[in-house]
């Protein structure tokens, strides 16, 4: 290299190969305690305002706000943070959709925080709500003012009674300290935070159904467009973000987007709360770097699979709505958005459900199909009718009382549901079944064959 320019093409290619080798040999995981955003996720320290400030919350929040909305949004874009609620949409980009010129649009803007954590297997947001509520409230203030909102509504799942009490106590402390209200953090800006309790409906985790619920209506998703950023809560511009997404924002702005984006692979930046359940020796919720290999993640934090790695049968890597992956895929897959999409699954909420060889996979997916059938709001015909058909057919396949051609028929039903509904509940009902058929079709066929053999033997007896 001479004067900042490659002297020859050979030098340029050699430099490119070295960079690729560095990137391909980079290992992910082993997050240091100093880099953990959530310092009190297990509730080992004081959860009050005093305790939160000792851990770094509310530190120079006024300075962050006074740098302006454009600065905050640009920092979030540079950090590479993608939504932690399941969809993985770029957070900074989502914030930028809100109206910027209030002289043209005089309607108030709102931030809505989705704490309706009802996805089976998911248990990360509840830890934030009950153990780190001030991190969430500070994030609500910073994110809300960055979007020029006047208030934030924290929608908490109805079953989360203790969590709602914890958040309401923290909000009262923040008002008393002057962090919220008419002169939030001394910035001269008015900002309020409210808690809204849900009533236990899974469908209210969908952003427009959640908005309907806050307005006092049945939780049924809205047709889009218009999107919430144009016509959301009470007909006003609204952004809906997940609890974890909002809670990490203050730390990102304090420590800088370069710090946050240094974790994980490109397009999969940052740290993430993972919650692991099922057949592991130590089920738990923990924060770790994105892109960590699944096997290492389970062995480092959860004590490995019950009975050893070779006893693993399958894993649902992102909550009940994503397709399962077999052990052969789990051996090498990394825990991030793009890696899991490449193996026809998804990171979702990073709720890892581990199933060893004692698991009846057909019965497990049948149980999930019952959940989605029960939670369908009934607006869309494919979801309303199709979830029932899936449940009935899988119910017969559990015992083997079916025909092999019905496997293809079941798959076709899921394809007719997927992408043909107002919201993603239809997709969530279809994908677990597709994963079962994709990877464990021989298991279903064997179950059917054994049933018919037993029936024929009984008939001739």
């Amino acid at each position: 290299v001479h004067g900042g320019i490659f002297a020859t093409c050979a030098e340029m290619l050699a430099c490119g190969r070295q960079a690729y080798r560095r990137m391909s040999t980079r290992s992910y995981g082993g997050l240091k305690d100093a880099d953990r955003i959530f310092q009190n996720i297990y509730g080992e320290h004081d959860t009050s305002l005093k305790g939160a400030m000792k851990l770094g919350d509310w530190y120079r929040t006024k300075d962050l706000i006074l740098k302006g909305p454009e600065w905050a949004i640009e920092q979030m874009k540079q950090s590479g943070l993608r939504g932690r609620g399941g969809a993985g949409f770029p957070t900074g980009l989502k914030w930028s959709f809100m109206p910027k010129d209030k002289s043209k649009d005089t309607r108030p803007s709102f931030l809505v925080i989705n704490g309706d954590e009802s996805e089976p297997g998911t248990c990360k947001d509840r830890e934030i709500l009950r153990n780190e509520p001030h991190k969430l409230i500070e994030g609500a203030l910073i994110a809300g003012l960055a979007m020029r909102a006047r208030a934030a509504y924290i929608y908490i799942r109805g079953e989360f009674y203790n969590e709602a009490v914890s958040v309401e106590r923290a909000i009262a402390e923040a008002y008393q300290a002057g962090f919220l209200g008419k002169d939030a953090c001394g910035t001269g800006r008015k900002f309020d935070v409210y808690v809204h309790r849900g009533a236990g409906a899974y469908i209210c985790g969908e952003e427009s159904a959640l908005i309907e619920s806050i307005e006092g209506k049945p939780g049924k998703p809205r047709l889009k467009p218009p999107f919430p950023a144009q016509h959301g809560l009470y007909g006003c511009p609204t952004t809906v973000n997940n609890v974890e997404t909002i809670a990490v924002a203050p730390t990102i702005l304090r420590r800088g987007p370069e710090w946050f984006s240094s974790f994980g692979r490109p397009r999969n930046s940052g740290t993430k709360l993972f919650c692991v359940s099922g057949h592991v020796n130590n089920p738990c919720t923990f924060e770790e770097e994105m892109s960590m290999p699944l096997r290492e993640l389970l062995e480092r934090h959860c004590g490995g699979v019950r009975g050893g790695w070779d006893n693993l049968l399958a894993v649902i890597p992102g909550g009940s709505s994503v397709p399962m992956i077999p052990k052969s895929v789990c051996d090498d897959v990394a825990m991030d958005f793009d890696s899991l999409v490449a193996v026809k699954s998804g990171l979702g909420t990073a709720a890892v459900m581990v199933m060893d060889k004692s698991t009846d996979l057909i019965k497990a997916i049948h149980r999930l199909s019952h959940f989605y059938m029960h939670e369908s709001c009934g607006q869309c015909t494919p979801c309303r009718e199709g979830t029932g058909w899936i449940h009935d057919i899988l119910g017969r396949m559990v015992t083997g009382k079916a025909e092999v051609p019905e496997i293809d028929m079941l798959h076709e039903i899921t394809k007719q549901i997927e992408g043909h509904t107002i919201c993603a509940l239809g997709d969530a009902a279809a994908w677990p079944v597709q994963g079962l058929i994709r990877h464990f079709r021989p298991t279903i066929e064997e179950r059917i064959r054994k049933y018919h053999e037993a029936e024929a033997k009984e008939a001739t007896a």
Side-chain angles (χ1 to χ4, degrees):
V1 181
H2 178 68
I5 301 174
F6 291 105
T8 65
C9 289
E11 286 183 5
M12 181 177 69
L13 291 172
C15 187
R17 282 194 295 269
Q18 289 173 7
Y20 175 78
R21 280 196 294 271
R22 285 196 299 271
M23 184 174 67
S24 61
T25 56
R26 159 88 192 271
S27 61
Y28 300 95
L31 187 68
K32 297 177 181 178
D33 287 342
D35 289 321
R36 298 190 193 283
I37 294 174
F38 299 101
Q39 297 286 334
N40 194 29
I41 199 67
Y42 304 118
E44 296 172 336
H45 307 290
D46 183 10
T47 60
S48 70
L49 176 60
K50 184 178 179 181
M53 293 181 75
K54 285 182 179 179
L55 294 174
D57 295 339
W58 297 108
Y59 176 70
R60 301 187 70 175
T61 307
K62 177 181 178 180
D63 294 343
L64 298 177
I65 295 170
L66 292 180
K67 289 186 177 183
E70 290 79 9
W71 175 84
I73 291 173
E74 185 58 32
Q75 292 284 292
M76 295 304 291
K77 286 181 178 179
Q78 291 178 18
S79 74
L81 175 66
R82 294 171 65 174
R84 298 316 198 205
F89 192 83
T91 301
L93 182 62
K94 190 172 187 177
W95 291 7
S96 71
F97 293 155
M98 294 286 276
K100 298 173 180 62
D101 189 350
K102 286 299 180 181
S103 64
K104 295 181 180 179
D105 189 345
T106 58
R107 295 174 298 167
S109 298
F110 298 109
L111 167 65
V112 173
I113 300 172
N114 188 345
D116 188 66
E117 189 175 52
S118 303
E119 177 89 349
T122 308
C123 50
K124 63 180 182 67
D125 292 339
R126 73 177 186 185
E127 306 297 345
I128 300 172
L129 294 170
R130 65 185 173 189
N131 295 325
E132 303 234 28
H134 278 285
K135 201 173 292 293
L136 173 63
I137 295 163
E138 184 191 14
L141 173 64
I142 291 173
L145 293 181
M147 290 179 267
R148 300 169 178 84
R150 69 159 54 168
Y153 289 82
I154 304 175
Y155 187 97
I156 300 179
R157 178 182 174 183
E159 292 86 347
F160 285 177
Y161 175 80
N162 292 327
E163 289 76 5
V165 170
S166 175
V167 173
E168 287 172 340
R169 185 187 301 118
I171 290 172
E173 290 178 328
Y175 271 107
Q176 189 173 5
F179 294 155
L180 298 175
K182 295 181 180 179
D183 184 22
C185 281
T187 60
R189 303 279 299 277
K190 183 177 185 294
F191 193 82
D192 294 304
V193 177
Y194 306 99
V195 170
H196 188 95
R197 299 285 304 282
Y202 172 75
I203 192 64
C204 289
E206 196 277 335
E207 62 178 9
S208 61
L210 187 154
I211 289 170
E212 290 280 289
S213 178
I214 294 177
E215 292 179 354
K217 305 170 188 173
K220 294 187 176 183
R222 298 174 178 175
L223 281 167
K224 301 172 187 176
F227 294 94
Q230 286 78 44
H231 189 91
L233 184 62
Y234 306 122
C236 299
T238 304
T239 290
V240 183
N241 271 140
N242 172 257
V243 164
E244 185 184 353
T245 308
I246 295 298
V248 301
T251 306
I252 292 173
L253 296 180
R254 282 195 192 95
R255 303 189 68 167
E258 298 81 9
W259 167 79
F260 189 77
S261 62
S262 69
F263 302 107
R265 298 192 307 147
R267 283 178 36 87
N268 300 273
S269 301
T271 66
K272 178 81 183 72
L273 286 178
F274 295 88
C275 37
V276 182
S277 60
H279 298 149
V280 291
N281 291 310
N282 180 32
C284 57
T285 299
F286 55 89
E287 184 178 1
E288 188 50 272
E289 181 181 13
M290 289 277 279
S291 304
M292 186 176 186
L294 173 58
R295 179 172 182 175
E296 185 181 346
L297 181 140
L298 295 178
E299 291 177 348
R300 180 189 292 264
H301 294 282
C302 307
V305 178
R306 184 179 70 180
W309 183 255
D310 290 336
N311 193 37
L312 178 64
L313 182 59
V315 167
I316 299 176
S320 64
S321 61
V322 305
M324 67 172 65
I325 50 178
K327 177 186 176 297
S328 58
V329 175
C330 297
D331 288 339
D332 303 308
V333 74
M335 289 298 291
D336 62 35
F337 294 105
D338 294 344
S339 296
L340 288 166
V341 167
V343 296
K344 297 185 177 180
S345 188
L347 181 66
T349 57
V352 183
M353 304 163 74
V354 180
M355 296 174 282
D356 68 15
K357 290 179 180 178
S358 69
T359 308
D360 184 339
L361 292 179
I362 305 172
K363 191 174 182 179
I365 300 303
H366 174 247
R367 180 63 187 86
L368 292 180
S369 74
H370 178 83
F371 172 81
Y372 289 111
M373 176 186 70
H374 181 268
E375 295 296 335
S376 173
C377 76
Q379 272 195 113
C380 308
T381 304
C383 182
R384 183 183 66 245
E385 303 298 328
T387 52
W389 296 351
I390 289 173
H391 179 260
D392 292 344
I393 295 171
L394 276 175
R396 290 188 289 107
M397 288 181 174
V398 168
T399 61
K401 192 178 181 180
E403 303 294 335
V404 171
E406 286 186 283
I407 301 174
D408 291 325
M409 183 178 73
L410 178 61
H411 187 264
E412 178 61 22
I413 291 171
T414 67
K415 287 296 185 180
Q416 291 298 325
I417 299 172
E418 180 186 5
H420 296 94
T421 55
I422 291 174
C423 79
L425 191 144
D427 298 349
W431 289 342
V433 182
Q434 291 175 7
L436 174 68
I437 295 172
R438 182 183 303 122
H439 297 296
F440 295 98
R441 183 186 180 110
T443 303
I444 305 173
E445 293 176 348
E446 178 70 8
R447 185 77 54 88
I448 294 171
R449 183 185 64 79
K450 285 184 176 180
Y451 175 84
H452 287 293
E453 285 179 354
E455 193 178 51
K457 187 176 181 180
E458 186 178 337
T460 57

